[in-house]
Amino acid sequence: MIVDAVPSPVRLTVAAGPGQPDPSPELEQLYRGFEREMLVPLWTEIGDLMPRHPRSKAAPHVWRWDRLLELAGEAGRIVPVGRGGERRAIALANPALGGRPFATPTLWAAIQYLMPGENAPEHRHTQHAFRFVVEGEGVWTVVNGDAVRMSRGDFLPQAGWNWHSHHNAATAPMAWIDGLDIPFSYFTESQFFEVGRERVADAEMGTPDRSRSERLWGHPGLRPLSQPDAPTATPLLAYRWADTNRALADQLALEDEGHEGTLSPGHAAVRFTNPSSGRDVLPTMRCEMHRIRRGARSAALREVGSSVYQVFEGEGQITVDERKWTVKRGDLFVVPSWSSFTASCGNDSASALDLFRFSDAPIFEALHVHRSSSDAPA
């Protein structure tokens, strides 16, 4: 006789309730049989598995930049960068996700900190990634041998499975945020990782003002004919703040002149796109910059999929469902799936409220399950 020694994790409780069978000894016996064979009936789980609308496991939460920067600086003095840890990256852990290093069930966000003269070693991974710089200058990320300058306000996407390293050529530490689809890759069990060279070539350690990718792809409306059509992720490795800032300012100027251009009154917004196709920069993440002028409020937004925001400049008020915060430069916060979100900038603010946002919208659009509050069923 073969005895299955694996204990069953299934635990079923007989309980009266709407849609549940009447309690009886026979039902108790049936449930014990289900437990032994590791079976779970849908009628006991439908409320959790098939709710009337998304109920995110993540919680709205805010992380304060000044505290993150202080702790990252301590890590810079104590924790080396090298093989093993690979990066001095400190991930945001959503308080509702059991201590996992995940900002949301699909998105990773971390502060990365590099000391003067330090090099983060070369590696590659199948997870898609980007860097966004809220302050500082002097670090270069090297992607497949192409050195890309990182400066305040710059957005630097990088598709999965590309070799990359970082080096700080400045005399001061520098911090930025990393965004990746690590949780999505983790739960879908699709991740690969490979270490690269111990040291990149001296020629790759240069500090050019413009990377090779920018010289090829960084010309608005122009595509180099020597390059393949529509790669799945953007071939442009840097989207510069000067261009982003100009686009946002022009939208608000057009609004002042009585023309269409803003998302809603006082709310300018742009999306970073793949210059070869016009689609999202990365297959799993959508990245945007929003500007709320003083005295304005964004329209309420509710959509399938989660978002992480970082305040780039200014001060304002954020509302996520019943939670409300005042946020300032550098602060990060999470908007879970199907949570109502608004942002406002007071008349007494010193400047407009600039928000960098990344979300998992491309995943849900590809699955044809993305919905927003404007097109959701009643």
Side-chain angles (χ1 to χ4, degrees):
M1 179 179 178
I2 299 176
V3 177
D4 189 349
V6 178
S8 175
V10 177
R11 295 291 181 270
L12 301 173
T13 301
V14 172
Q20 298 301 308
D22 293 332
S24 69
E26 291 83 1
L27 187 62
E28 286 276 6
Q29 185 176 2
L30 178 63
Y31 280 8
R32 300 297 81 77
F34 284 165
E35 290 176 353
R36 286 191 296 272
E37 299 304 322
M38 299 190 193
L39 302 171
V40 179
L42 177 60
W43 60 83
T44 65
E45 303 293 326
I46 192 168
D48 183 50
L49 296 178
M50 303 177 74
R52 298 298 178 92
H53 58 77
R55 296 193 306 220
S56 180
K57 291 181 173 61
H61 191 72
V62 64
W63 291 263
R64 301 299 181 181
W65 182 246
D66 53 359
R67 184 60 178 146
L68 294 181
L69 206 55
E70 178 185 351
L71 291 169
E74 287 295 313
R77 288 184 283 275
I78 298 169
V79 181
V81 171
R83 289 291 179 228
E86 293 288 323
R87 298 288 186 266
R88 192 184 291 112
I90 307 158
L92 309 185
N94 191 288
L97 297 180
R100 300 296 301 173
F102 302 155
T104 81
T106 53
L107 300 174
W108 161 288
I111 178 174
Q112 188 171 160
Y113 197 85
L114 206 59
M115 298 292 283
E118 278 189 328
N119 298 314
E122 185 181 65
H123 66 211
R124 64 178 178 175
H125 40 73
T126 47
Q127 295 92 338
H128 301 292
F130 70 80
R131 278 153 279 288
F132 178 71
V133 186
V134 73
E135 57 187 325
E137 179 105 21
V139 168
W140 270 255
T141 183
V142 183
V143 182
N144 295 328
D146 191 6
V148 187
R149 173 174 53 88
M150 297 171 59
S151 303
R152 172 166 159 77
D154 292 346
F155 167 68
L156 303 104
Q158 176 212 297
W161 213 236
N162 285 284
W163 295 110
H164 57 284
S165 61
H166 314 305
H167 67 95
N168 187 346
T171 57
M174 184 168 164
W176 63 89
I177 67 162
D178 290 333
L180 294 94
D181 56 6
I182 290 176
F184 175 73
S185 296
Y186 178 82
F187 286 117
T188 55
E189 300 178 340
S190 59
Q191 63 271 55
F192 289 87
F193 179 90
E194 186 176 350
V195 299
R197 296 166 294 175
E198 291 296 325
R199 187 180 186 279
V200 299
D202 290 341
E204 300 171 30
M205 297 284 286
T207 55
D209 185 61
R210 288 194 303 154
S211 63
R212 296 197 304 269
S213 80
E214 292 171 88
R215 292 163 66 188
L216 264 180
W217 289 99
H219 305 283
L222 301 173
R223 189 181 74 80
L225 295 182
S226 63
Q227 303 302 301
D229 289 342
T232 56
T234 179
L236 180 60
L237 299 178
Y239 294 69
R240 299 301 179 188
W241 171 243
D243 300 319
T244 307
N245 181 51
R246 187 181 304 113
L248 295 169
D250 281 347
Q251 287 186 17
L252 292 173
L254 285 168
E255 180 181 83
D256 290 339
E257 296 163 13
H259 305 296
E260 293 184 359
T262 53
L263 197 59
S264 62
H267 180 188
V270 294
R271 180 173 298 162
F272 299 102
T273 60
N274 181 336
S276 71
S277 65
R279 299 182 65 83
D280 286 296
V281 286
L282 297 166
T284 54
M285 289 184 286
R286 174 163 295 164
C287 301
E288 300 171 341
M289 183 67 75
H290 295 250
R291 174 169 292 170
I292 314 294
R293 72 158 85 231
R294 286 182 293 180
R297 174 185 296 272
S298 69
L301 175 67
R302 188 192 301 271
E303 65 179 341
V304 170
S306 53
S307 297
V308 178
Y309 288 78
Q310 183 171 38
V311 180
F312 178 68
E313 191 60 85
E315 182 175 302
Q317 291 70 48
I318 302 301
T319 302
V320 184
D321 289 337
E322 292 79 30
R323 303 290 302 275
K324 294 184 179 181
W325 304 289
T326 296
V327 292
K328 62 182 186 301
R329 175 170 162 170
D331 290 348
L332 295 113
F333 58 91
V334 161
V335 180
S337 182
W338 212 244
S339 292
S340 178
F341 167 72
T342 56
S344 63
C345 183
N347 284 310
D348 56 349
S349 177
S351 68
L353 176 64
D354 284 352
L355 297 171
F356 172 78
R357 176 200 185 200
F358 72 102
S359 76
D360 49 19
I363 297 173
F364 298 102
E365 288 182 351
L367 296 172
H368 303 286
V369 293
H370 182 269
R371 285 177 173 161
S372 66
S373 52
S374 61
D375 60 12

